[in-house]
Amino acid sequence: MTESKEYRSKMMSRIRSTGGKAEVILAKALWHKGIRYFKNYKKVYGKPDIAITKYKIAVFVDGEFWHGYDWENQKKKRIRTNRDYWIPKIEKNIERDRIVNKKLEDDGWIVLRFLEKHEVLKDLDSCVEKVINKVNYQRSTIET
């Protein structure tokens, strides 16, 4: 099924950069496990979706399309119109993610990136466990 240009435009305009379903679900799950954080923390490079500042852990919840999940296949199969716009845009996003990761890691942060649909919405418990493991690791290095 192909959507009309009007329908596609309306759907794309409704996508928001913060506070998506997966981001909210992960944040609430972490809060219920006792993990305290800041959302969309502007004081650190890259503005992580969830920043656990006490342990310098930055968590990003990435949409598969916008962050180039399975990019080599997707750019051939999924992007059929306006390729001159979308391909460079997504590739810039992928490069920006690399730069953000490197900058944060150079500043002593642990960076965790989860895919919205393939990880957070499919296996929330695993994502929460990964964050908690990093918190526990950081906690143990601080205490020793």
Side-chain angles (χ1 to χ4, degrees):
M1 180 185 126
T2 55
E3 300 104 5
S4 69
K5 278 188 172 184
E6 295 79 19
Y7 175 79
R8 170 74 64 182
S9 178
K10 181 179 179 186
M11 295 308 294
M12 295 303 256
S13 72
R14 298 186 72 203
I15 296 171
R16 299 289 168 242
S17 63
T18 61
K21 179 180 178 182
E23 183 183 322
V24 170
I25 288 171
L26 179 59
K28 285 183 178 182
L30 291 171
W31 192 268
H32 288 296
K33 294 284 188 179
I35 306 297
R36 299 301 177 244
Y37 54 81
F38 292 96
K39 288 173 66 177
N40 308 115
Y41 193 59
K42 294 176 182 149
K43 292 181 181 178
V44 72
Y45 189 78
K47 201 171 98 174
D49 298 319
I50 298 168
I52 306 166
T53 56
K54 183 175 182 178
Y55 301 110
K56 292 184 92 173
I57 299 170
V59 180
F60 295 89
V61 178
D62 296 337
E64 283 81 349
F65 176 74
W66 300 105
H67 294 268
Y69 171 74
D70 191 24
W71 181 237
E72 290 309 312
N73 289 321
Q74 290 300 319
K75 75 177 169 182
K76 294 173 193 164
K77 296 177 186 175
R78 188 167 182 189
I79 301 176
R80 293 185 296 271
T81 60
N82 208 4
R83 292 173 60 85
D84 292 338
Y85 172 77
W86 285 111
I87 290 173
K89 172 154 181 59
I90 302 303
E91 288 177 348
K92 278 195 276 185
N93 290 350
I94 293 167
E95 182 58 24
R96 186 184 64 240
D97 290 345
R98 282 191 201 110
I99 291 167
V100 167
N101 289 357
K102 174 122 178 52
K103 172 81 169 108
L104 288 173
E105 289 165 357
D106 288 349
D107 290 344
W109 285 74
I110 291 175
V111 178
L112 296 173
R113 285 192 178 270
F114 297 110
L115 293 169
E116 189 176 39
K117 293 176 186 160
H118 284 84
E119 293 178 293
V120 177
L121 297 178
K122 201 177 250 185
D123 190 2
L124 176 64
D125 292 341
S126 175
C127 297
V128 170
E129 184 179 330
K130 287 175 185 173
V131 175
I132 289 172
N133 287 343
K134 292 297 182 185
V135 167
N136 289 339
Y137 173 78
Q138 291 294 85
R139 188 180 288 148
S140 71
T141 60
I142 291 170
E143 292 172 356
T144 56

